Amino acid sequence: MLTLYMHPLSSFCQKALIALYENETPFTAHHVDLMDEAQSAAFKKMWPVGKFPVLRDETEKRTIPESTTIIEYLAQRYPGPTKLIPDDASAAYEARALDRFYDFHVHLVMQKIIGDRLRPEGERDKTGVDKARSALRTGLGIAEKDMAARTWAAGEAFSIADCAAAPTLFYVNMVVAPLAGAYPNLAAYLGRLSKRPSYARALKEAEPFLKYVPA
Ligand SMILES: N[C@@H](CCC(=O)N[C@@H](CS)C(=O)NCC(=O)O)C(=O)O
């Protein structure tokens, strides 16, 4: 029995949700409100780092933090028709490399920009945000070139790389800057991702909470 500790608004949780929904893997969603002291403390007992998603596999008695590791685990232990990690070694390398690329060079820098807006006025980190904006431009520039000739992030098959790309491109487009002007290939790719049933479902579940994302 699988339980995902998560919140629907969280981009890294959406990444894990896409993987679960792709293969219709049965699981229970356990929502955690990190602003609630009791819920946060209970969650930190399970994973002291305090970041979600975390997957609990009661059958295997395993607790698995980190979205990438969760998807690797699902691909290995609960495989389905969508090969989130391709069988072919070279294709698997490409998908894994792009998962890391989207997490480090798009997702985390996007989080830095948005996270800074949640800080009180006097505690903002202008230098850090300027650096993150520059890193984001670099990351998006690389991805834009890649997506000129691809349907999905790693080629023609949907994979872990798309689970990583979808939520972060959505939030970049919504909060940092619309992709359509400077990044038409990424805008078209985000359009395809938004129609993919797994991500469309995760996004629909996030909708009631989107008002809490700082504009
Ligand atoms: N490397 C982690 C990142 C997870 C992460 O940053 N999660 C955010 C939500 S999107 C979180 O839990 N933030 C709460 C906090 O930092 O206190 C992963 O891939 O799962």
Side-chain angles (χ1 to χ4, degrees), residues 107-144:
H107 205 151
L108 290 175
V109 288
M110 177 273 290
Q111 261 192 351
K112 170 73 186 168
I113 297 165
I114 297 180
D116 198 71
R117 295 181 190 172
L118 297 168
R119 291 180 172 190
E121 196 65 54
E123 291 174 28
R124 300 223 167 125
D125 173 17
K126 185 183 176 316
T127 307
V129 169
D130 286 349
K131 249 177 107 176
R133 282 192 176 278
S134 164
L136 183 61
R137 277 194 296 275
T138 303
L140 293 177
I142 293 169
E144 171 69 11

Side-chain angles (χ1 to χ4, degrees), residues 137-156:
R137 277 194 296 275
T138 303
L140 293 177
I142 293 169
E144 171 69 11
K145 277 195 191 133
D146 279 355
M147 291 317 295
R150 292 179 183 187
T151 304
W152 302 114
E156 292 314 296

Side-chain angles (χ1 to χ4, degrees), residues 32 34 40-41 43-54 65:
V32 182
L34 290 176
S40 173
F43 178 59
K44 281 183 180 159
K45 267 195 184 155
M46 183 175 59
W47 179 231
V49 168
K51 287 183 189 279
F52 41 41
V54 171

Side-chain angles (χ1 to χ4, degrees), residues 9-13 15 34 43 49-53 65-68 70 100 103 107-108 111:
L9 190 59
S10 149
S11 41
F12 278 107
C13 295
K15 177 178 159 185
L34 290 176
F43 178 59
V49 168
K51 287 183 189 279
F52 41 41
E66 291 291 328
S67 56
T68 294
I70 290 170
R100 301 293 66 224
D103 272 15
H107 205 151
L108 290 175
Q111 261 192 351

